[in-house]
Amino acid sequence: MGSAEPKKRIAIMGSTGSIGTQTLDVIRSHSELFEVEILTAHSNDELLIKQALEFRPNAVVICDEKKYEAVKSALSSTDIKVFAGENALEQVADFDTYDIMLAAIVGFAGLKPTLKAVNKGKMIALANKETLVVAGDIVMQTALEKRAPIIPVDSEHSAIFQCLVGEARNPIEKVILTASGGPFLGKKPNFLVNVKRDHALQHPNWSMGAKISIDSATLMNKGLEMIEAKWLFNLEPKQVEVVIHPQSIVHSLVQFEDGSLKAQMGLPDMKLPIQYALGFPGRIKNDFPRFNFRKYPTLSFEEPDYKTFRNLGLAIEALKTGGNMPCILNAANEIAVWAFLKNRIGFLDITAVVEKTMESISLIAKPTLEEYFDSDGEARNFAASLMKL
Ligand code: NAD
Ligand code: MG
C-alpha cells in the first residue's frame, strides 16, 4: 500500500474488549494507514473515554445508558458525537463515513449492527463469530447481494482465507480447523465436574474475553467455528473437520481436490489476523516476534475427545441440522456460559443446558431474520428456566 492512499476509516464495534483493544494497538502502530471513525462499548465508560481522547473518532456509543452523562461530559471539549443505548449501534453502523467495520462485539448482540453494515455494502472484518452461527445464511446472502466483503478475523478462518488467496477456481475438498484443546486438554469428566470459573478462564496460548475463554475450555468455540467456516467458505458440514493442535502454531488448513494441504502458520497473536483483515489485500510490515522452530521442536496433532467435550458434538449436530438449530445452540450456550461465569452452574452443566434446549425448541428449517430473533429469545428463556435463573 502506498502512503499516498487515503487512510482507511475504521468503525470498531466492541472497542473495549480483547479484540477491540488489540485492533486499536494495530491502528496506533499504523496511523499512516488507518484512522478511527467509530468506537463502541457496552459499559466500560472509562476505557471508552480514554480511547476516544486518544483516537478522536467521529462518534462513540456507550450501550449502558446510565453511563451516557459520564461519557458526554468527559468528551464535552471535543466534537466527538456521543450516543447511548443498544439501538445506537445500528444508528452508527448506518453512517457513510467509515470504510471497514471491525465487528468485535461478543455474542448475539453483534448481529444487528453487523448486518446493518453488510446491508450498506461495507467491508466487514469479522471477529464476532456468533453473527454467522446464528444467521449465516442471511448474512452471507446479503453480503453477496450488497457486495460487502467479509474478511474473517477469527484466526482459524483468517488462516483458511489466506490459504485460499489465488485459489478461486480450485474447489475445496475440506478444511481442517485446528484447536488448542484449551486449558483442560486430556482431562476427563470426573475432573471437569469440579472445575471453577477462574481455572476455566486460564487459556494456555491466547488471552481473550471471558465468554470465548470458557467456550475454548468446553470446545464449544471450535463447534461455533465449524459453523462459521461452513458459511464463510460455502461448505457442506462433512467438509469441515477439527484437529487438536496444542501449540497453536498451525492456524488451520485447506485440503484441495489433488490432496494438497495448505496451512497458514505463525505465533498465536490475534494482532496478526486483525492486521491482515484491515490491510487486505496487502500485508503490512510489522515487528511482532517471529516464529522460531528451536522453541517449537514438535508440532503435534490429535483427535478431539468428543466423549468428554460433548459441546463439540452438539455443535456438529446443529451444523448438520441447520435451520434455527445453530441459533438455539448459541443462545443456550450464551446463557449457560454467563451462569457459569457467575458461579451459578457447574462446568458440565453448560453442556446439559445446551443439549436440553436444543431438544426443546421447535426446529424451523428456513427461518426469517425475525424468526432467528424469536428462536434466540425462546432458547434463552428456556435455558434460563432450566437453571432457575
Ligand atoms: P470481550 O468480552 O473482550 O469484548 C467484547 C466487546 O463487546 C466489549 O467491547 C464489550 O463492551 C462489547 N459488548 C459486550 N456485550 C455487548 C452487548 N450486549 N452490546 C454491545 N456491546 C457489547 O470479547 P472478545 O474476546 O474481544 O471477543 C469479541 C468477539 O470476537 C467474540 O465474538 C469472539 O468470539 C471473537 N473472537 C475473539 C478472539 C479473542 O482472541 N479474543 C479470537 C477470535 C474471535
Ligand atoms: Mg478462533
Side-chain angles (χ1 to χ4, degrees), residues 13-22 40-44 63 86 89 103-107 109-110 126-130 153-156 206-213 215 221 224-225 270:
M13 314 304 278
S15 65
T16 52
S18 162
I19 294 290
T21 52
Q22 292 182 83
T40 83
H42 186 245
S43 54
N44 189 345
C63 292
E86 300 249 332
L89 294 172
I105 289 175
V106 58
L126 186 72
N128 175 236
K129 66 192 80 187
E130 295 90 346
V153 168
D154 212 349
S155 58
E156 297 75 5
W206 305 93
S207 158
M208 309 178 286
K211 194 252 175 187
I212 185 175
S213 295
D215 284 346
N221 183 50
L224 299 178
E225 290 183 352
M270 284 308 295

Side-chain angles (χ1 to χ4, degrees), residues 89-351:
L89 294 172
E90 274 186 285
Q91 204 179 331
V92 297
D94 203 26
F95 282 10
D96 292 321
T97 51
Y98 65 95
D99 301 305
I100 305 177
M101 172 183 283
L102 194 303
I105 289 175
V106 58
F108 183 83
L111 172 59
K112 271 191 184 172
T114 308
L115 199 51
K116 175 66 83 178
V118 173
N119 260 303
K120 288 183 70 73
K122 297 287 185 185
M123 179 182 267
I124 314 289
L126 186 72
N128 175 236
K129 66 192 80 187
E130 295 90 346
T131 284
L132 288 182
V133 170
V134 171
D137 53 348
I138 292 178
V139 174
M140 295 310 288
Q141 184 58 36
T142 311
L144 198 70
E145 283 165 15
K146 306 287 179 178
R147 297 172 183 273
I150 299 186
I151 318 293
V153 168
D154 212 349
S155 58
E156 297 75 5
H157 307 74
S158 174
I160 292 167
F161 187 92
Q162 292 180 54
C163 291
L164 292 175
V165 170
E167 303 279 5
R169 288 163 162 273
N170 295 322
I172 297 169
E173 194 163 81
K174 67 179 184 186
V175 299
I176 305 169
L177 302 176
T178 53
S180 68
F184 305 134
L185 177 61
K187 301 293 191 215
K188 294 292 170 194
N190 62 353
F191 174 90
L192 296 176
V193 71
N194 295 316
V195 153
K196 291 286 176 268
R197 109 187 249 288
D198 290 345
H199 192 181
L201 284 171
Q202 303 297 315
H203 196 278
N205 304 340
W206 305 93
S207 158
M208 309 178 286
K211 194 252 175 187
I212 185 175
S213 295
I214 302 305
D215 284 346
S216 299
T218 65
L219 290 201
M220 179 58 92
N221 183 50
K222 211 49 54 179
L224 299 178
E225 290 183 352
M226 292 177 80
I227 302 169
E228 181 186 13
K230 173 204 155 70
W231 292 117
L232 277 171
F233 307 114
N234 194 19
L235 301 169
E236 293 300 321
K238 64 175 186 314
Q239 291 176 289
V240 187
E241 288 182 8
V242 170
V243 65
I244 302 289
H245 168 48
Q247 299 82 16
S248 298
I249 296 297
V250 175
H251 296 310
S252 281
L253 309 95
V254 180
Q255 183 170 305
F256 293 96
E257 288 186 320
D258 60 354
S260 245
L261 280 166
K262 269 169 93 172
Q264 187 265 341
M265 301 169 64
L267 291 175
D269 180 350
M270 284 308 295
K271 288 202 282 298
L272 266 169
I274 291 169
Q275 188 187 280
Y276 183 81
L278 294 183
F280 180 78
R283 287 185 184 272
I284 302 165
K285 189 175 164 69
N286 64 35
D287 57 3
F288 300 164
R290 273 20 179 183
F291 174 76
N292 179 345
F293 70 86
R294 290 186 188 85
K295 289 193 185 148
Y296 291 88
T298 308
L299 296 181
S300 60
F301 301 89
E302 60 190 88
E303 183 79 2
D305 177 355
Y306 292 97
K307 261 193 165 150
T308 302
F309 296 93
R310 289 180 50 239
N311 274 355
L312 190 52
L314 291 175
I316 293 172
E317 192 188 315
L319 167 69
K320 289 182 177 158
T321 307
N324 61 343
M325 198 50 90
C327 169
I328 295 166
L329 167 103
N330 178 71
N333 183 59
E334 283 192 28
I335 292 286
V337 168
W338 178 86
F340 174 73
L341 284 168
K342 298 271 177 212
N343 297 315
R344 305 279 286 268
I345 62 169
F347 188 78
L348 295 178
D349 298 332
I350 299 173
T351 307

